[in-house]
Amino acid sequence: QVQLVESGGGLVQTGGSLRVSCAASGSTFSSYTMGWFRQAPGKEREFVAAISRSGASTYYADSAKGRFTISRDNAKNTVYLQMNSLKPEDTAVYYCAADRTRGIQAMGVVPNGLDYWGQGTQVTVSS
């Protein structure tokens, strides 16, 4: 069993930066591929980024490439999403997810049925 708790969301102006974190507990963190997803009001949840178990490989949605960076610290059981050059369309609830069997691309392409999800953290980008 894995518990995921996101933090670090908030209100930021267009062009600003924010880092959200996801702390995991309850099992071997390094055994899980980790990902970030987001859901804006009235829209479906969408994939943002994923990182491999070791942290050596990453995978991004087109909307995140060049602006967002996913990273993890297995010693701290934490995954991060650094978001730069934020836009109003990045406004959403950001969720982290963990999966024991999927790789980073599979997490992005087929996000249904992932093993664990956090409760989400709100990110609001003002124009």
Side-chain angles (χ1 to χ4, degrees):
Q1 192 78 358
V2 174
Q3 294 80 43
L4 302 174
V5 179
E6 299 95 335
S7 62
L11 175 65
V12 63
Q13 292 185 334
T14 297
S17 297
L18 201 63
R19 187 179 79 162
V20 291
S21 303
C22 173
S25 62
S27 188
T28 307
F29 179 69
S30 60
S31 298
Y32 293 86
T33 299
M34 299 298 297
W36 284 97
F37 295 76
R38 66 186 183 185
Q39 187 168 19
K43 296 187 177 181
E44 293 186 353
R45 189 174 298 187
E46 66 175 4
F47 170 75
V48 177
I51 189 165
S52 63
R53 296 168 184 82
S54 68
S57 300
T58 56
Y59 179 63
Y60 294 93
D62 287 344
S63 59
K65 288 178 183 177
R67 298 189 302 127
F68 294 3
T69 302
I70 188 171
S71 62
R72 67 190 295 165
D73 186 338
N74 286 345
K76 296 182 178 180
N77 287 3
T78 302
V79 61
Y80 306 96
L81 185 68
Q82 176 68 44
M83 301 181 286
N84 299 326
S85 302
L86 283 161
K87 307 173 183 179
E89 51 264 44
D90 294 318
T91 295
V93 178
Y94 283 72
Y95 299 90
C96 69
D99 198 270
R100 183 179 283 275
T101 59
R102 295 183 210 192
I104 54 176
Q105 291 190 353
M107 179 174 271
V109 172
V110 188
N112 295 333
L114 295 178
D115 290 341
Y116 302 103
W117 291 88
Q119 85 291 346
T121 186
Q122 177 71 47
V123 172
T124 303
V125 184
S126 63
S127 57

